Amino acid sequence: KVHLSASKMNNMEIPRAAPLLLLLLGLASPASALSASSPLVRARVAAATAPAVHASPLLRRLHPPVASAATLQQPDAAASTAAVAPEDEWIARVDLAAFGKECRELGSRLEKGQGEADVKHLKRMILWSNLCGAVGVATMWMKPNFISVMGLSLWTMSRWTMIAHHTCHGGYNKQDDGTGRFTSLGFALGSVQRRAMDWLDWMLPEAWNVEHNNLHHFRTGEPGDPDLVERNLVTMRDFPLPAKLKYVAVAAVAAMWKWFYYAPNTYKQLRMHEMRRNGEEIPSSVDKHDPFTIGKFLPGMASEAPALGYNFVDYMRKVAGPFMLIRFLLLPAPLLLVNPLFFRRAVVNLLLADVMSNLHSFVIIATNHCGDDLYAFQNSVTPKSPSFFMRQVITSVNFRTSNGIRKDGTARPVHGITADANDFMHGWLNYQIEHHLWPDLSMLSYQKAAPLVRNLCAKHGVPYVQESVWLRLGKTISIIAGRTSMRRYPAAFNRPQDMVA
């Protein structure tokens, strides 16, 4: 049994006996009413969410350069060199210039090697995704069942993490068939019809492209990274609840995270991007890095939406509404002509599949850059610089990949259908290291790249983390619960010519 005495509760700096539901409303929103009620949490949030400096002209438009985060204090150079932690000693031995040069060369070779085989592979993965959808749709009239739920869930997951993800990054731009559909400038963009045909999910594709392709990929592990789990869930980390209750809260969020947090937060990033593009200034009241959850639309919540020119009605009309209407009403609507009972069963199966898809995607996405063996950084580096390549490796993790790893640590050869099945179930997010080194490659290229990158990192002494997704989930939950923290990259080892001024 979980019991907190009244005396202990009175000593806490949060409202007494705060219910778990209140935590769920605030855990993905560090500046929520919950965190604002606590001076301790407020101070931690202010430190953990301090914005970063930014590099390229595009990124300056997305987030103007500002001060670095206070939580990652820059140590004295001499002291850092003398007192460097044993797990960080490898940093002083790495020849960053040589490592960066080989990363650029390998990326160039992989890009030049793409062709018809990559297109055929993409089409095969689309076929697999569509087959999952066909099974789910064909059986969703039945009583709620595992086959229907899994088919619909895998259809949703694979359409996002595999097909949309790599297409929107431009992984197939140079293999375009002339239609422009499977390119970063055409896929799922421009209309509800295009969105419904290419990639229908809670997130607006245009919003996801800004939040993920630009901000997350160019600021991975930095204060400006919108997907920094440790910072985004600071309320959960600081909240004085027993670990078991925090685990319950994590499970609840995992089951709804796309509509609860990810869709509204990506839309917030899109609105700020559009304002900058139009020459408008972002109001000072808006915390650019504070996650925006659906709960912020509730009365009394400190919502940035009005300052950014939108409200809940706008959000529903442009973002969540079309998905809800098409997925949960129009898709099963023909069953009303047969039997209203079949329609009701289909809606239940679709809702269960959405929960399953949320859980599946949380397991393979939230774990990509989280763990006490991965690094967080206090400032930004120039994209494609040697430091940038190194950072992508040490703040990312691979799961089981297509080639697998022998007991002696060497990689096995890529192996066809079995490889694709493994990678399909991981949403092709098991190549996170290779993907962050070169985001605009194809899925097939990442299969080829993994053993090469692993050997390259071994050659230069750069840590290459690869573990089961279940082990990584445990490490991610430990971070979220506040039991462990990300490693802090020693600022004394930053390469000056790579840093953003």
Side-chain angles (χ1 to χ4, degrees):
K1 293 183 179 180
V2 178
H3 175 71
L4 293 177
S5 69
S7 61
K8 289 183 178 179
M9 292 299 291
N10 286 334
N11 290 331
M12 293 178 183
E13 294 188 56
I14 61 170
R16 286 184 297 173
L20 186 60
L21 178 59
L22 185 58
L23 172 60
L24 290 176
L25 285 174
L27 59 85
S29 179
S32 66
L34 169 65
S35 55
S37 69
S38 165
L40 170 64
V41 175
R42 213 167 43 231
R44 289 284 298 274
V45 170
T49 59
V53 286
H54 299 278
S56 66
L58 169 62
L59 289 166
R60 288 195 185 102
R61 291 197 298 273
L62 291 169
H63 280 289
V66 285
S68 298
T71 44
L72 307 183
Q73 296 293 334
Q74 181 167 336
D76 174 79
S80 298
T81 304
V84 65
E87 61 268 23
D88 298 332
E89 291 177 352
W90 65 270
I91 302 173
R93 297 190 293 266
V94 173
D95 184 342
L96 269 181
F99 179 72
K101 180 175 181 292
E102 291 199 49
C103 283
R104 281 191 294 273
E105 292 172 348
L106 177 55
S108 179
R109 290 199 304 272
L110 290 166
E111 181 182 4
K112 291 177 181 177
Q114 291 192 180
E116 187 59 31
D118 298 85
V119 175
K120 289 181 179 179
H121 183 265
L122 170 64
K123 291 179 178 179
R124 183 161 70 246
M125 293 302 99
I126 292 174
L127 175 62
W128 287 17
S129 177
N130 289 343
L131 286 175
C132 290
V135 169
V137 171
T139 61
M140 66 183 181
W141 60 273
M142 300 178 180
K143 291 182 179 180
N145 63 92
F146 180 78
I147 293 177
S148 298
V149 170
M150 281 304 298
L152 293 166
S153 174
L154 288 173
W155 180 35
T156 301
M157 181 277 295
S158 58
R159 201 72 192 182
W160 172 25
T161 66
M162 294 169 52
I163 300 166
H165 186 193
H166 298 94
T167 301
C168 291
H169 269 296
Y172 302 94
N173 281 5
K174 294 185 178 179
Q175 288 78 47
D176 179 29
D177 60 3
T179 65
R181 181 182 180 187
F182 290 94
T183 67
S184 57
L185 297 178
F187 192 79
L189 303 177
S191 69
V192 173
Q193 179 184 4
R194 188 80 268 160
R195 180 182 173 188
M197 291 180 63
D198 291 344
W199 171 32
L200 183 65
D201 211 324
W202 288 101
M203 299 78 68
L204 183 68
E206 290 87 346
W208 184 81
N209 284 345
V210 169
E211 191 269 1
H212 178 82
N213 294 359
N214 291 326
L215 297 178
H216 170 60
H217 268 270
F218 284 96
R219 295 291 168 257
T220 311
E222 301 171 3
D225 182 358
D227 297 336
L228 195 60
V229 173
E230 185 181 50
R231 187 267 320 283
N232 289 351
L233 291 166
V234 65
T235 301
M236 170 77 83
R237 287 171 58 80
D238 288 342
F239 205 90
L241 277 180
K244 290 183 179 179
L245 287 186
K246 288 189 177 184
Y247 299 156
V248 173
V250 172
V253 171
M256 60 182 182
W257 76 287
K258 284 198 288 183
W259 62 263
F260 178 75
Y261 153 70
Y262 205 44
N265 192 58
T266 54
Y267 189 62
K268 170 191 171 181
Q269 298 297 335
L270 174 65
R271 288 296 300 131
M272 291 193 293
H273 172 65
E274 290 174 339
M275 290 180 71
R276 294 189 189 95
R277 188 175 58 192
N278 295 333
E280 302 174 50
E281 185 135 350
I282 305 298
S284 59
S285 61
V286 174
D287 184 338
K288 301 178 182 67
H289 304 296
D290 184 30
F292 192 104
T293 65
I294 199 71
K296 283 198 170 186
F297 285 119
L298 294 174
M301 298 297 284
S303 174
E304 308 101 310
L308 296 175
Y310 70 100
N311 55 32
F312 181 70
V313 174
D314 297 324
Y315 171 77
M316 289 299 297
R317 181 170 58 86
K318 296 178 181 178
V319 184
F323 171 75
M324 296 172 67
L325 176 65
I326 296 171
R327 178 57 56 90
F328 301 117
L329 292 178
L330 297 184
L331 181 60
L335 293 172
L336 288 169
L337 302 175
V338 182
N339 189 331
L341 175 62
F342 293 169
F343 172 81
R344 292 195 294 272
R345 289 175 176 174
V347 172
V348 172
N349 276 314
L350 286 164
L351 290 171
L352 291 174
D354 189 68
V355 173
M356 179 66 73
S357 179
N358 270 274
L359 290 169
H360 191 171
S361 59
F362 181 88
V363 169
I364 60 178
I365 292 174
T367 52
N368 287 155
H369 307 282
C370 195
D372 59 1
D373 51 353
L374 301 181
Y375 286 85
F377 311 96
Q378 71 176 50
N379 41 28
S380 299
V381 294
T382 304
K384 303 301 178 68
S385 65
S387 295
F388 177 86
F389 285 122
M390 182 265 292
R391 287 187 176 196
Q392 303 316 300
V393 175
I394 64 174
T395 195
S396 305
V397 62
N398 278 15
F399 311 137
R400 173 184 166 85
T401 50
S402 62
N403 50 281
I405 302 298
R406 298 187 181 94
K407 291 183 178 180
D408 63 2
T410 59
R412 297 187 181 96
V414 174
H415 50 271
I417 296 298
T418 306
D420 284 345
N422 172 80
D423 298 346
F424 186 92
M425 293 305 296
H426 284 91
W428 234 271
L429 299 175
N430 47 334
Y431 298 97
Q432 202 63 196
I433 293 173
E434 291 74 25
H435 175 61
H436 269 257
L437 287 172
W438 314 288
D440 54 353
L441 294 181
S442 70
M443 288 182 279
L444 185 59
S445 288
Y446 294 130
Q447 287 185 334
K448 298 174 182 177
L452 302 176
V453 173
R454 187 181 180 89
N455 291 339
L456 178 61
C457 290
K459 173 183 175 182
H460 289 275
V462 176
Y464 183 103
V465 180
Q466 181 171 20
E467 287 185 318
S468 159
V469 67
W470 302 113
L471 290 177
R472 300 311 306 184
L473 178 61
K475 292 187 177 184
T476 299
I477 292 175
S478 183
I479 292 286
I480 294 173
R483 299 183 64 184
T484 58
S485 299
M486 301 280 287
R487 289 184 185 175
R488 266 44 182 174
Y489 187 83
F493 290 103
N494 284 331
R495 190 169 184 258
Q497 56 268 50
D498 294 344
M499 306 310 295
V500 174

